[in-house]
Amino acid sequence: DAKTTQPPSMDCAEGRAANLPCNHSTISGNEYVYWYRQIHSQGPQYIIHGLKNNETNEMASLIITEDRKSSTLILPHATLRDTAVYYCIVRVHSGTYKYIFGTGTRLKVLA
Amino acid sequence: GAVVSQHPSWVICKSGTSVKIECRSLDFQATTMFWYRQFPKQSLMLMATSNEGSKATYEQGVEKDKFLINHASLTLSTLTVTSAHPEDSSFYICSATKTPGAYEQYFGPGTRLTVT
């Protein structure tokens, strides 16, 4: 079962910051949070990951709450090309490390 | 870079036939590969994990005799859907990691299977 819950959809104005929330209240201490996005009929694209510290890269920022029960992905200046389904994923270890995908948030960036 | 390819990108087959999907890591050796299935407007569902040279580990509810996975080399894994039926029509996506505990999975572009 998925360990994450996300809102099913969000809209964001072009040029504005997109803040995508994710709840992972059952996350264990050594489980990482990952964010990927999937543009229609393509394979998922890696965005960012973190354990407990906030992270930033050229694509986005990841803010993880101190209790690690939730996180927020921030796209600082959304463009039309950021329209996609965004998945918040917890990487679990069950024999091997594997991703358990949640239902994702369908982000629509509006012109 | 870390590029994963899949072949074919789409395939149509008749009910009762088998179809093979290839997943290749083009510029790295993949110790572990994963196979996912995605139905329209749904999320990715992990089907199985395969390590080079060993048997695949299937997720609960996935029929191992129907979805045959072979990971014969460090750059190639194949998924064979045997005796395909219309309900097997789906988007099949593979991913690969460079090392067993690697942080990032690199995903292929997916293969759309339609069974008529």
Side-chain angles (χ1 to χ4, degrees), chain A residues 14-36:
Chain A
E14 188 178 21
R16 298 281 192 168
N19 297 287
L20 292 90
C22 178
N23 286 322
H24 32 79
S25 58
T26 61
I27 195 170
S28 298
N30 58 351
E31 291 175 341
Y32 281 75
V33 177
Y34 288 74
W35 284 83
Y36 280 72

Side-chain angles (χ1 to χ4, degrees), chain B residues 20-62:
Chain B
K20 180 185 286 188
I21 301 169
E22 292 185 349
C23 175
R24 293 183 185 272
S25 55
L26 298 185
D27 51 2
F28 67 99
Q29 293 186 326
T31 56
T32 305
M33 287 184 166
F34 304 84
W35 287 95
Y36 297 84
R37 181 167 55 180
Q38 186 176 32
F39 293 109
K41 298 192 183 300
Q42 293 188 24
S43 184
L44 281 75
M45 185 195 78
L46 180 64
M47 299 175 68
T49 303
S50 74
N51 293 297
E52 184 263 342
S54 56
K55 290 184 179 180
T57 301
Y58 291 80
E59 294 298 304
Q60 194 171 11
V62 177

